[in-house]
Structures are given as structure tokens and as C-alpha cells.
């Protein structure tokens, strides 16, 4: 891996890699949380989210599954125990007013789905942060110097 002259160069490099990391992290987070016997939601609830996502995408250009947004922020100084941090800047969520033309959700169901969407976005953060840290600290020796 290349050596970085300063934190600005490092941030530019990890921001360039963010989309690829997010692609993998989203797939892994979805599998962890919504597939298998320990899934956070039933198959029917995931199908409901998919229907809402599809409709919202058609009508508004962005659905639930692509509403989450992430960024990489510096921590101020780089040392052996810190790296830039991945943060979720926008969590996907079902609006309180619901989705026009789609089955009405009761408050309990909407809350459960919003909790699952929040957990999904936070898991994406965790998985992406792991990839970022592996990249930053995988070099032989220092990755940057002031």
C-alpha cells in the first residue's frame, strides 16, 4: 500500500474506496440481519419493506434501501490507535405519514421496521469501518507522516 504524506491524502484515498466498501458492507449487513433463522424481521416484513422500497423508488427516485448515506470523517490526528471514522449521515426510515397508496402501517409495525432499518445502517457502518481500518493499518510500517 502507498504511504500517505498527510491525513488529507489518506482521507482522499479512503473516500475514493468508500463506495466499494459500502457495496460489500450493505450486502453483508442485509444477510446478517434479514436472512436465516435469527433474522430481525420475518420474511413477510422484509417483503413489505421491499414493496415500500419499490414503490417509493418509482415515485420519488429513491427507496428505503438506497436512502442511507455514509461519510468518512477525520478524527483530528492519526496515531496507532485511531483512523478516520465511518458515520451514517442519513438513516433509512419509514415516514410517519406513511406511503400513499400502500397498505397502512400501524405504529408498532412502523417502529419495528424503522428499528431494523436503523440497525441495518449501523451494521453497515461497523462493517465499513472494519474495511477502512484494515486498509489503513495493512501497510508495512507507517501509512502516513506529518
Amino acid at each position: 500500500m502507498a504511504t500517505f504524506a498527510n491525513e488529507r491524502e489518506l482521507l482522499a484515498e479512503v473516500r475514493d474506496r468508500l463506495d466499494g466498501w459500502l457495496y460489500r458492507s450493505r450486502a453483508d449487513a442485509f444477510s446478517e440481519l434479514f436472512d436465516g433463522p435469527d433474522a430481525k424481521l420475518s420474511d413477510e416484513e422484509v417483503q413489505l419493506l421491499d414493496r415500500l422500497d419499490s414503490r417509493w423508488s418509482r415515485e420519488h427516485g429513491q427507496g428505503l434501501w438506497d436512502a442511507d448515506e455514509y461519510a468518512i470523517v477525520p478524527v483530528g490526528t492519526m496515531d496507532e490507535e485511531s483512523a478516520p471514522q465511518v458515520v451514517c449521515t442519513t438513516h433509512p426510515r419509514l415516514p410517519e405519514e406513511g406511503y400513499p397508496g400502500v397498505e397502512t402501517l400501524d405504529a408498532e409495525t412502523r417502529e419495528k421496521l424503522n428499528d431494523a432499518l436503523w440497525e441495518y445502517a449501523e451494521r453497515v457502518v461497523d462493517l465499513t469501518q472494519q474495511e477502512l481500518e484494515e486498509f489503513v493499518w495493512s501497510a508495512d510500517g507507517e501509512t502516513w507522516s506529518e
Side-chain angles (χ1 to χ4, degrees):
M1 182 178 84
T3 299
F4 300 100
N6 57 46
E7 188 176 20
R8 186 175 58 230
E9 282 184 20
L10 173 62
L11 285 171
E13 183 65 28
V14 296
R15 285 178 176 148
D16 285 345
R17 294 172 183 264
L18 180 61
D19 286 340
W21 292 336
L22 286 172
Y23 182 81
R24 286 186 298 279
S25 295
R26 283 178 169 133
D28 291 346
F30 187 91
S31 291
E32 286 178 20
L33 296 172
F34 304 121
D35 287 339
D38 295 330
K40 296 286 180 190
L41 300 176
S42 69
D43 289 342
E44 294 78 20
E45 290 167 328
V46 173
Q47 289 170 2
L48 173 59
L49 284 176
D50 286 343
R51 284 194 311 273
L52 295 171
D53 172 73
S54 178
R55 176 142 189 166
W56 204 247
S57 291
R58 285 191 311 275
E59 294 178 0
H60 301 282
Q62 184 181 51
L64 285 169
W65 295 121
D66 59 353
D68 53 329
E69 296 178 12
Y70 303 88
I72 296 175
V73 295
V75 293
T77 60
M78 292 290 297
D79 58 37
E80 291 181 14
E81 297 177 11
S82 66
Q85 297 295 298
V86 178
V87 296
C88 182
T89 58
T90 304
H91 288 78
R93 66 182 296 275
L94 298 167
E96 293 293 321
E97 65 277 2
Y99 287 90
V102 179
E103 58 261 42
T104 303
L105 300 177
D106 60 72
E108 184 180 329
T109 301
R110 186 176 49 252
E111 184 68 23
K112 180 179 181 181
L113 296 177
N114 278 335
D115 287 348
L117 290 168
W118 182 279
E119 189 172 345
Y120 163 78
E122 289 302 308
R123 185 63 183 140
V124 170
V125 167
D126 293 341
L127 293 168
T128 306
Q129 184 67 38
Q130 290 172 14
E131 292 227 36
L132 182 150
E133 289 174 5
E134 287 173 19
F135 171 76
V136 168
W137 306 119
S138 66
D140 296 326
E142 273 187 42
T143 57
W144 76 287
S145 58
E146 290 187 286

